[in-house]
Each structure stands twice: as C-alpha cells, then as structure tokens.
Amino acid sequence: MAAAVHRIDANLPLAQVQTLAQAMTEALGPQWLTLNLIRLFAGAALLLAAIGLYGVMAFAAANRRRELSIRMALGTARADIMRLVLRHGGRLLCLGLGIGLVAAAGAARFAASLLPEISAVDPLAFGAAALLLAWVALLACLLPAVRATKVDPMAALRAD
C-alpha cells in the first residue's frame, strides 16, 4: 500500500496506511461486539420465554386432564380440545404482549430522553417483535395442545 503511494508521489508523508475496510473494522469493532452481545441475550430471552410458556401450558393442560378427558368422553372432537388449549395460550399471549408493549414503549421513551438521536417508538420494530413472540408462543402452545388430544379418555378417568 505504501509502495503504491510512493510510486505516485515519493514526497507524501505516510502514517498508518490501511484500507478503508481495515479502518471501518477498527472504528466499529466495539459496536459490533455490543451488537452481537445484544443479539445473544435477545436470543436467550426468546428461548427462555418459549420454555416458560411451554411449561405453563403443559402444566395447565396436565391440570385440566380430567376435564379434557370428560369432554372427550362426551364426544368433543379432538380439534375442539386443541382449540380450547390453544385459546388459553392465546389469552396468555395477548396479556403478555399487551403488558410487554406498554413496558417497551415506556422503556423506549426513557431511552429517547437519554439519547436524542433515536425515536421513542418504532412501530416496525414493535410489530416485528410482537409477531416473532406470537409465533414462538404458538409453537410453545402447540405441543401441549397436541398432547392433550392424544389422551385416552377412559385411561385418564380411571387413573384419577
């Protein structure tokens, strides 16, 4: 690099000759590390939320096993049982998203007061996060719902 500059003009003083890519990497290194750590913690938080919701839904379905078995013994379709369990998860999801969006808007306003360069509320980011969490919650609720439909009503009623 320095040789190429000297061929053009040997009188130019040179110090710290580097490419633009090297300069950008050096200047943005700490920000990339912070961004990657935020991604890692956000992924861990999403995983913990999914595991927690799965645990709550599995516990709720297990506690309602007798009720669901009676419904199935009386002729309720498996799809209706699945809808019943998924509806309970949907209520939890709506409650959690409502509280989370209000808390996130408050946190964003607080962050905007500290950093005037950012907007207080970004509807695209909030919507994308809500959709991602709704998708993860649906997946977390699906396994307990399917498991609830696989219960043999007579065996479940005899066990209690």
Side-chain angles (χ1 to χ4, degrees):
M1 170 128 325
V5 173
H6 279 301
R7 271 185 261 135
I8 294 172
D9 188 354
N11 295 327
L12 286 176
L14 297 177
Q16 294 181 335
V17 177
Q18 58 186 357
T19 64
L20 180 61
Q22 291 169 334
M24 292 285 291
T25 301
E26 185 179 310
L28 297 176
Q31 285 84 0
W32 280 108
L33 176 65
T34 303
L35 179 64
N36 286 330
L37 283 173
I38 288 172
R39 285 181 184 155
L40 177 73
F41 288 126
L46 185 63
L47 180 65
L48 286 174
I51 291 169
L53 187 57
Y54 167 77
V56 167
M57 290 309 302
F59 181 74
N63 279 346
R64 296 177 68 187
R65 190 169 131 201
R66 181 172 172 86
E67 173 205 344
L68 297 174
S69 298
I70 291 171
R71 286 177 183 263
M72 288 175 66
L74 292 175
T76 304
R78 292 187 187 277
D80 292 333
I81 298 293
M82 182 179 266
R83 257 191 300 275
L84 187 67
V85 175
L86 286 175
R87 192 176 308 129
H88 182 256
R91 275 189 241 124
L92 289 176
L93 170 67
C94 289
L95 179 67
L97 280 178
I99 292 170
L101 285 173
V102 169
R109 291 200 187 281
F110 176 71
S113 71
L114 297 175
L115 302 166
E117 299 89 28
I118 67 168
S119 67
V121 178
D122 183 6
L124 181 65
F126 278 56
L131 281 175
L132 178 65
L133 285 171
W135 184 77
V136 168
L138 174 67
L139 288 178
C141 293
L142 204 54
L143 186 59
V146 169
R147 195 176 292 150
T149 63
K150 303 267 186 209
V151 173
D152 179 29
M154 292 302 141
L157 291 173
R158 265 185 258 133
D160 289 334

